[in-house]
């Protein structure tokens, strides 16, 4: 019975299928079908979350399933495109090409999701194709409906953020170069209090206009960075390089706690402490992060492990909030 089972899936109120059990399990294993997608086949009273019928596993082993009647329509509350409903048996048809983001075929060629069995997709057909709007290069890693950001893009984004910070403190640096600074005061990590007192005395020696300009530029940069991180999941460096932070599970913007609390403020505190001891240690930890990411199948470094996030190529669909029905 399971070999001939006709399985239908739905996401964002759009239905796809039919698939057989082997195809479903392949797409589950590859991440193309998500546990939050909806599923229906003969034997189920109604649409259900995929994870509910698989016990949140990436394999489905149904019991007591029967082959559905090909004439039964099981589309409920799904999106119907007007041009797909003409000259068909009912209003429950939808264009497979539209669903998978392919160029539309001639309007004379219709695809009825409930009766057109010869349209059964092969393993390279995915519910997630509509989300992959960016060109996928041969060496890109694809996880479900997202393309992982290349490691070099992430390194470049970090370098750009560092450069922006340097530009923000440039007036302060230029003013300090004109002063006789005793850098040995900062080399004794055993006496951080003395280093702090000396730095404060240097600040007091600077013109008030220079200090004000530096403060405005630094706090302005931090405010702008925080705004883009909250609204788009991107620092300015990531915005320039076209990459974004998303949640590992939903592939949408992470929660505020993950995005701002863990991945932004906590990391800022950690690296601020590291660089206050020695710049070398800070750069070593950054290098370890990117080395871990380069060796991970999902490009996950310790930043990502800490916040349970992924860094991916930015796509507008990632900014859409997940509805409760998804």
């Amino acid at each position: 019975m399971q070999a001939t089972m006709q399985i239908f899936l739905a996401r964002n109120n759009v239905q796809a299928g039919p698939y057989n059990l082997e195809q479903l399990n392949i797409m589950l294993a590859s991440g193309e079908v998500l546990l939050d997608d909806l599923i229906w086949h003969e034997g189920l009273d109604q649409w259900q979350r995929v994870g509910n019928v698989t016990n949140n596993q990436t394999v489905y082993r149904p019991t007591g399933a029967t082959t559905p009647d090909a004439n039964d329509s099981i589309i409920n509350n799904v999106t119907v495109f007007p041009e797909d409903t003409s000259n068909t048996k009912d209003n429950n048809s939808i264009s497979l090409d539209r669903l998978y983001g392919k160029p539309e075929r001639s309007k004379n060629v219709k695809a009825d999701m409930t009766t057109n069995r010869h349209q059964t997709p092969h393993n390279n057909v995915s519910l997630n194709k509509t989300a992959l709007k960016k060109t996928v290069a041969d060496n890109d890693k694809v996880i479900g409906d997202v393309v992982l950001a290349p490691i070099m893009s992430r390194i470049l984004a970090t370098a750009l953020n560092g450069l922006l910070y340097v530009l923000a403190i440039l007036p302060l640096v230029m003013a300090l170069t004109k002063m006789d600074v005793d850098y040995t005061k900062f080399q004794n990590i055993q006496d951080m209090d003395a280093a702090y007192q000396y730095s404060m005395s240097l600040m007091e020696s600077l013109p008030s206009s220079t200090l004000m300009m530096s403060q405005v530029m630094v706090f302005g940069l931090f405010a702008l960075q925080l705004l883009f991180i909250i609204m788009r999941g991107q620092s300015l460096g990531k915005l320039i390089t076209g990459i974004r932070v998303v949640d590992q599970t939903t592939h949408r913007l992470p929660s505020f706690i993950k995005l701002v609390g863990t991945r932004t403020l906590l990391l800022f505190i950690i690296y601020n402490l590291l660089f206050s001891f020695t710049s070398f240690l800070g750069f070593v930890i950054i290098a370890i992060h990117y080395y871990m990411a380069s060796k991970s199948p999902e490009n996950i470094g310790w930043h990502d492990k800490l916040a349970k996030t992924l860094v991916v190529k930015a796509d507008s669909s990632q900014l859409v909030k997940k509805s409760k029905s998804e």
Side-chain angles (χ1 to χ4, degrees):
M1 291 291 185
Q2 293 181 4
T4 58
M5 177 181 292
Q6 302 292 302
I7 300 172
F8 293 84
L9 301 168
R11 180 183 298 167
N12 297 328
N13 292 329
V14 178
Q15 179 181 305
Y19 302 94
N20 60 40
L21 183 59
E22 180 183 5
Q23 289 172 329
L24 172 64
N25 283 329
I26 289 174
M27 290 189 291
L28 276 169
S30 67
E32 293 173 329
V33 172
L34 306 177
L35 295 180
D36 285 333
D37 290 338
L38 299 178
I39 185 173
W40 185 94
H41 60 74
E42 186 70 18
L44 296 179
D45 294 335
Q46 59 185 359
W47 288 93
Q48 296 192 36
R49 179 177 171 271
V50 172
N52 290 349
V53 300
T54 66
N55 292 321
N56 290 319
Q57 302 299 311
T58 54
V59 61
Y60 184 34
R61 299 187 180 92
T63 57
T66 58
T67 304
D69 185 348
N71 294 320
D72 286 341
S73 174
I74 53 89
I75 302 179
N76 296 307
N77 300 320
V78 299
T79 302
V80 179
F81 297 101
E83 63 268 33
D84 292 328
T85 59
S86 59
N87 300 325
T88 56
K89 293 176 62 178
D90 51 41
N91 290 335
N92 290 334
S93 63
I94 188 169
S95 166
L96 282 172
D97 292 337
R98 174 75 66 84
L99 183 62
Y100 293 127
K102 299 178 182 178
E104 288 287 340
R105 297 170 293 176
S106 169
K107 291 185 179 180
N108 294 326
V109 181
K110 300 297 179 181
D112 189 335
M113 297 296 293
T114 61
T115 62
N116 199 6
R117 299 306 187 208
H118 69 276
Q119 290 288 349
T120 301
H122 297 290
N123 294 337
N124 61 339
V125 177
S126 166
L127 280 172
N128 300 317
K129 292 292 180 67
T130 54
L132 298 181
K133 297 177 182 177
K134 292 185 175 294
T135 302
V136 180
D138 292 338
N139 58 345
D140 278 339
K141 296 180 182 178
V142 180
I143 302 294
D145 57 351
V146 295
V147 181
L148 296 180
I151 300 299
M152 289 308 300
S153 294
R154 297 173 62 175
I155 294 175
L156 178 59
T158 300
L160 288 172
N161 286 329
L163 178 61
L164 290 172
Y165 176 74
V166 170
L167 292 176
I169 64 172
L170 189 59
L172 183 62
V173 173
M174 293 180 64
L176 288 173
T177 57
K178 298 176 182 180
M179 300 176 61
D180 185 17
V181 179
D182 184 4
Y183 291 101
T184 60
K185 297 283 188 180
F186 302 101
Q187 294 176 357
N188 185 7
I189 62 175
Q190 302 296 328
D191 194 358
M192 295 301 298
D193 184 62
Y196 175 77
Q197 294 297 330
Y198 181 65
S199 64
M200 293 303 296
S201 66
L202 289 175
M203 295 298 104
E204 292 173 357
S205 302
L206 292 172
S208 58
S209 59
T210 301
L211 282 175
M212 182 174 296
M213 181 183 298
S214 296
Q215 290 172 350
V216 169
M217 292 180 67
V218 170
F219 285 111
L221 174 62
F222 285 165
L224 196 59
Q225 291 276 36
L226 193 60
L227 177 65
F228 275 96
I229 288 171
I230 294 172
M231 300 298 296
R232 302 182 60 86
Q234 297 171 296
S235 63
L236 293 176
K238 286 183 172 64
L239 181 67
I240 294 170
T241 54
I243 61 180
R244 171 180 288 122
V245 175
V246 297
D247 188 275
Q248 285 184 12
T249 303
T250 65
H251 294 174
R252 309 286 178 90
L253 285 185
S255 66
F256 183 86
I257 293 177
K258 285 184 179 181
L259 190 60
V260 178
T262 303
R263 193 175 172 102
T264 302
L265 298 181
L266 181 59
L267 288 179
F268 175 79
I269 293 172
I270 291 173
Y271 279 108
N272 190 52
L273 291 174
L274 290 172
F275 278 99
S276 66
F277 282 107
T278 169
S279 297
F280 174 76
L281 182 58
F283 286 119
V284 167
I285 300 302
I286 292 176
I288 290 174
H289 165 67
Y290 286 120
Y291 177 77
M292 289 176 60
S294 67
K295 297 300 181 181
S296 166
E298 297 182 338
N299 290 2
I300 293 178
W302 73 267
H303 296 177
D304 310 296
K305 284 183 177 295
L306 185 66
K308 292 181 171 50
T309 55
L310 294 173
V311 181
V312 302
K313 288 188 176 181
D315 188 278
S316 58
S317 63
Q318 298 151 2
L319 299 175
V320 180
K321 291 185 178 180
K322 236 174 157 37
S323 65
K324 293 182 179 179
S325 62
E326 288 184 72

